[in-house]
Amino acid sequence: MKLTIGEIVKAQGIKGEVKVKPQTSDPAQFGRLKAVSVGGCPLKIRSASVRGDFVYVSFEGIGDRNAAELLIGKRVEIDRSQARKPDKDEYFVVDLVGCKVMLDDGTELGTLTAIDNYGSADVFTVTGTRTVRFPFLKRLGLAFDECKRTVTVNKERFDEVCCYED
């Protein structure tokens, strides 16, 4: 299984370097990787450095700006075996999407269809009889049951922060 760790947003300079928006809590991992998949094609990493909120990567075989521009918009992925093990109460997005979302009173809200990050918090989108979005906050008491493929949240806290689509 592949995990997305970033998206190439632009070519940087004239020597084939690309600017990557990381989609991982550990952008420094780019520097520890030897190879990744970009748009489904395997590429070896020549160098990677974190600068601000982005990672700048040079790949073997991508030696000029024209070649780098062909990578814009492509996802950078790794095999799950290359990923660091999540800390306690950390999860991979790929493991959560598709799970049933429940309130702690037993009410089923629907299926978690997307997790987006807008800077301050991840926003969960749940599709059921109605579509609802809510930020992932520790006070929601998120509980993930991998075997049952369910995510449970505290009803009282959920009611304070949820936003239903009309």
Side-chain angles (χ1 to χ4, degrees), residues 15-18 43 46 58-64 67-69 71:
K15 296 183 180 179
E17 186 176 55
V18 295
L43 288 175
R46 189 176 334 139
S58 293
F59 297 107
E60 288 184 17
I62 307 295
D64 62 33
E69 285 179 346
L71 303 178

Side-chain angles (χ1 to χ4, degrees), residues 17 20 22 24 26-32 47-57:
E17 186 176 55
V20 178
T24 173
D26 182 20
Q29 78 178 341
F30 280 84
R32 297 187 297 270
S47 68
S49 63
V50 178
R51 293 181 241 154
D53 292 335
F54 295 92
V55 180
Y56 295 82
V57 182

Side-chain angles (χ1 to χ4, degrees), residues 109-163:
L109 295 172
T111 302
L112 182 59
T113 54
I115 300 175
D116 299 299
N117 187 287
Y118 297 104
S120 60
D122 288 333
V123 176
F124 287 31
T125 300
V126 178
T127 305
T129 54
R130 294 175 71 187
T131 298
V132 62
R133 290 186 175 81
F134 61 94
F136 170 70
L137 304 170
K138 286 184 182 184
R139 68 181 190 191
L140 281 172
L142 178 82
F144 173 51
D145 185 325
E146 192 171 0
C147 294
K148 292 182 181 177
R149 302 264 313 134
T150 60
V151 175
T152 305
V153 296
N154 177 281
K155 180 183 180 353
E156 183 180 328
R157 298 291 186 211
F158 176 81
D159 288 340
E160 293 173 359
V161 298
C162 72
C163 180

